Amino acid sequence: MTADESEFPAREEFLAGDRPDDVALFLADSYVSDDRLAEFGEDVDGGVLIVVDGERGRSAFQAATGTGAMQFAKSAMEHEGIVDADLAGGTCPETPGDDAGDHEVQFVFAFTEEQNEDVGGIYAEGDVVHAYAQCSCGVAYSDRWNPGDAGDPGTDLEA
């Protein structure tokens, strides 16, 4: 473990699937310009990443975005995109080719679901990270992956 990882064990534990009762929020600097947010989470490239218990996280998400977390997640499930494994970025499904142009992640809401062999697919393989992102173009999109596959999120959506 690097020095940076030990400073923010909540993020590492969340991304490993070890915090199923918590949620993670990424808020881009371009979306929210409140330096006080860094007090509650990790200052990452382009914004701040916060990991908190589920209820507080859903409330914080609504306060920061003006949208209910589960309402947002439901709308984002209509479009499959790629959310970066560190939750601090992604690729909008509306991005034409390699031109990111007007497609920057504004915020991400994520939670983990514990392994459930009865459901099958990626759920039988282990815990599943569910991530929902809002693009600056207005499109909300989703991604999910097993933490062990975090180097290649987006590949498990067909499962």
Side-chain angles (χ1 to χ4, degrees):
M1 182 180 299
T2 68
D4 289 341
E5 290 172 334
S6 64
E7 289 180 48
F8 299 101
R11 177 177 68 132
E12 299 307 317
E13 291 168 357
F14 179 86
L15 293 174
D18 296 336
R19 295 181 71 139
D21 295 329
D22 293 346
V23 298
L25 310 172
F26 168 75
L27 300 166
D29 291 335
S30 61
Y31 184 74
V32 176
S33 59
D34 187 342
D35 294 337
R36 295 176 296 167
L37 288 173
E39 296 174 28
F40 302 102
E42 178 181 355
D43 190 19
V44 297
D45 188 30
V48 64
L49 185 75
I50 303 167
V51 176
V52 294
D53 70 85
E55 191 59 39
R56 283 184 26 202
R58 286 184 289 278
S59 294
F61 179 84
Q62 178 145 1
T65 66
T67 303
M70 299 320 286
Q71 175 187 2
F72 171 66
K74 185 176 180 181
S75 70
M77 286 191 293
E78 295 176 14
H79 297 96
E80 295 176 357
I82 298 173
V83 177
D84 294 347
D86 65 1
L87 304 176
T91 303
C92 176
E94 299 296 317
T95 303
D98 293 335
D99 179 27
D102 295 326
H103 297 278
E104 297 292 326
V105 171
Q106 294 181 306
F107 53 84
V108 172
F109 173 77
F111 64 90
T112 59
E113 189 172 344
E114 293 180 291
Q115 180 176 5
N116 185 342
E117 293 180 14
D118 294 337
V119 174
I122 66 171
Y123 298 93
E125 297 171 18
D127 299 334
V128 177
V129 175
H130 294 263
Y132 308 95
Q134 178 68 46
C135 182
S136 58
C137 76
V139 171
Y141 58 94
S142 65
D143 196 0
R144 63 184 174 161
W145 62 89
N146 296 107
D149 298 333
D152 194 19
T155 59
D156 297 321
L157 288 171
E158 299 81 35

